[in-house]
Amino acid sequence: MKQILIPVFALSLAASPLAAQTDAPAPEDDGVSLMEEGAKLLLRGLLTEMEPALDDLQGLAEEMGPRMQMLTDQMGPAFADLLDQIDDITQYQAPEFLPNGDIIIRRRDDAPEFTPELPEDIEL
């Protein structure tokens, strides 16, 4: 008889719910709001950690601003002249770096014909 009671007792324990289990499902809103709160805390912590670096970056931008404006004023016309010598950057292949240090930018084979207007006197 003891041999029958032990398996029946084990099956009854397995079939009954544990004390920690509840029949009512947990509301989903609590999980979402906890996730949102965790994300907010994480982002606040990151912002606090990054604040000194952002302040340094702002100082660097203020220092470099006039220099960048001067570079734009001086290099802008030269860059415009360079762009006049090529028709469309998408008509060229990626730069190829040679072992001797030369850089070749080849025109694509399927690119349409292009003849730039060059000045008569070119100083090299």
Side-chain angles (χ1 to χ4, degrees):
M1 181 122 164
K2 283 186 174 181
Q3 295 172 351
I4 295 174
L5 288 177
I6 293 174
V8 171
F9 181 68
L11 285 174
S12 66
L13 286 177
S16 65
L18 297 176
Q21 293 178 340
T22 60
D23 292 335
E28 293 182 21
D29 293 339
D30 289 341
V32 173
S33 64
L34 288 176
M35 290 295 289
E36 288 175 1
E37 189 64 31
K40 286 178 187 177
L41 289 172
L42 175 69
L43 291 175
R44 263 190 225 124
L46 287 174
L47 185 59
T48 302
E49 292 291 323
M50 292 296 297
E51 193 170 1
L54 292 174
D55 290 341
D56 291 344
L57 183 62
Q58 182 178 1
L60 180 65
E62 290 172 358
E63 180 184 326
M64 294 298 291
R67 293 180 187 166
M68 291 302 291
Q69 183 62 42
M70 185 176 67
L71 178 69
T72 303
D73 293 342
Q74 292 176 355
M75 293 300 295
F79 191 64
D81 290 341
L82 177 66
L83 289 178
D84 287 340
Q85 295 178 15
I86 60 172
D87 58 338
D88 184 6
I89 198 74
T90 61
Q91 302 298 333
Y92 295 88
Q93 296 176 354
E96 180 181 340
F97 298 93
L98 300 180
N100 65 357
D102 289 349
I103 301 172
I104 299 175
I105 303 175
R106 301 178 195 272
R107 191 162 172 84
R108 290 182 18 207
D109 294 333
D110 59 344
E113 189 66 32
F114 175 71
T115 306
E117 295 179 18
L118 298 175
E120 292 179 16
D121 294 337
I122 298 177
E123 294 181 27
L124 296 178

